[in-house]
Amino acid sequence: MSSELPATPPNLRGHEEQADATGTASGQASGSVALFSSPTTPAGNRRRVLLQDQYADPKDPDRKVRRETISLEVSPRVEVVQYNRLCDYLGLAEQLQLYESAVGTLFDDLSKQMPVIGKDGLNYSSNIRDTAISNNLCDSIGKSIGKKERALTDHFAWLWEHMRMLPKPDVPGVKQQSPYSLIDYQTNMVPGTRLQPDGLFVHQDITLETFATAHMILEAKWATCENGLIEADLGQIGDYVLRIWTEQYTRTFVPVILLHGGNVSLMAFTRHEVYVAELGPLCVRQVMSQVAG
């Protein structure tokens, strides 16, 4: 796929373009699941997807087929782009510039809060250990209480709540940096569905946090996605995006924050493409020196 983006993005043609996503979490025939409004990907360009049995749910029997179909549609349409390029393509460049000039970068002090990623969890150094202990992130020796994806999600959730509420004393009237709360769904399903993303970003004034009110999705994978997401993960994340489009049919794109192997990526599912921008590290990787034999 070409790295050049079209001058007039097809997903910004206005709110009159409604979702073609007709599949629901309750399950419809696989042929009715269409994530994109553009023509179906030719069969010769598709990749066969075999999802693990763990995705089976007796109360959602069509989940496996639905996610396979979604993944087949999504896989050929994924493109990695620069963050500023993505904002410009989505029509957010001006808003981003205004926000940064008034508030600054949300994660200004992120590097000061980075744990080290270990074999199956995170390790908090002495300079942030007391804070991490007080927020139930780690034990007395700095090992994360949560394991793998849980550790990544818990750490990001703490950072998000901490940093979004930081006041800006140099900017009058700015009491916090973001009005969006991160709702944890690691142990509970989203109300009214059989779906369970790691989290949903919802405006702080919303009292019922569902796919109908969600602004953005949070998903964590322990493995690093340096070579791209595997088809099973694309199908899973696309399933959540599909539900948002079903509930919010005027949305032109759905953003997803993806934590993977200590890194953070921003995914933007438009009506025609999926763009991925790498935002940087969430954790520090410990470099192990190798001794030549």
Side-chain angles (χ1 to χ4, degrees):
M1 182 179 292
S2 172
S3 59
E4 292 297 319
L5 300 178
T8 305
N11 60 303
L12 298 179
R13 291 173 179 167
H15 285 224
E16 71 277 3
E17 178 181 339
Q18 296 187 356
D20 283 338
T22 56
T24 65
S26 59
Q28 295 182 4
S30 60
S32 67
V33 180
L35 190 62
F36 297 97
S37 58
S38 54
T40 302
T41 305
N45 295 336
R46 293 183 173 185
R47 286 183 286 173
R48 179 62 180 164
V49 180
L50 298 177
L51 302 186
Q52 301 176 16
D53 291 339
Q54 68 185 37
Y55 290 100
D57 184 347
K59 295 186 179 180
D60 186 7
D62 294 328
R63 174 178 296 185
K64 179 179 178 180
V65 174
R66 184 175 68 246
R67 290 185 175 180
E68 285 178 351
T69 305
I70 290 172
S71 183
L72 289 170
E73 292 290 331
V74 170
S75 294
R77 304 169 187 269
V78 177
E79 183 178 354
V80 177
V81 297
Q82 295 295 319
Y83 175 68
N84 289 340
R85 180 74 163 165
L86 175 60
C87 291
D88 182 59
Y89 176 60
L90 297 177
L92 302 176
E94 183 177 353
Q95 293 93 319
L96 178 64
Q97 185 177 11
L98 290 173
Y99 175 85
E100 290 183 339
S101 64
V103 180
T105 303
L106 183 61
F107 295 102
D108 283 333
D109 60 345
L110 179 61
S111 60
K112 303 175 184 177
Q113 314 291 343
M114 283 187 179
V116 176
I117 190 167
K119 181 179 179 181
D120 60 355
L122 305 180
N123 299 310
Y124 290 83
S125 58
S126 57
N127 63 316
I128 59 173
R129 188 171 300 162
D130 290 343
T131 302
I133 292 174
S134 65
N135 286 274
N136 298 316
L137 294 177
C138 71
D139 58 21
S140 59
I141 62 173
K143 292 186 69 66
S144 62
I145 295 175
K147 301 299 182 184
K148 297 188 175 181
E149 288 88 353
R150 177 86 199 196
L152 292 176
T153 303
D154 288 348
H155 180 69
F156 181 87
W158 167 65
L159 281 178
W160 178 264
E161 191 61 24
H162 168 68
M163 293 183 183
R164 83 176 188 92
M165 296 302 294
L166 286 177
K168 303 294 289 187
D170 55 328
V171 182
V174 178
K175 298 181 180 179
Q176 65 186 60
Q177 297 190 56
S178 175
Y180 290 97
S181 299
L182 175 56
I183 310 302
D184 189 340
Y185 279 111
Q186 295 179 90
T187 57
N188 300 299
M189 294 181 181
V190 177
T193 75
R194 299 289 301 173
L195 301 179
Q196 190 176 350
D198 288 315
L200 293 177
F201 293 85
V202 180
H203 196 280
Q204 61 189 8
D205 295 333
I206 299 296
T207 57
L208 181 61
E209 300 93 1
T210 69
F211 285 110
T213 58
H215 174 72
M216 186 163 54
I217 298 166
L218 175 69
E219 188 62 27
K221 301 298 176 185
W222 186 245
T224 302
C225 303
E226 294 177 351
N227 298 319
L229 278 169
I230 63 174
E231 287 87 345
D233 292 339
L234 279 173
Q236 179 188 8
I237 296 173
D239 202 11
Y240 305 147
V241 172
L242 182 64
R243 187 56 185 250
I244 287 184
W245 270 333
T246 302
E247 301 286 346
Q248 305 179 46
Y249 56 85
T250 60
R251 292 282 294 269
T252 55
F253 68 91
V254 177
V256 178
I257 291 290
L258 175 66
L259 314 178
H260 58 101
N263 299 315
V264 185
S265 297
L266 173 64
M267 305 179 71
F269 283 73
T270 75
R271 296 293 185 180
H272 298 261
E273 308 288 344
V274 178
Y275 296 102
V276 181
E278 299 299 327
L279 301 184
L282 179 67
C283 309
V284 177
R285 282 194 171 276
Q286 188 172 12
V287 178
M288 303 297 292
S289 59
Q290 296 182 351
V291 179

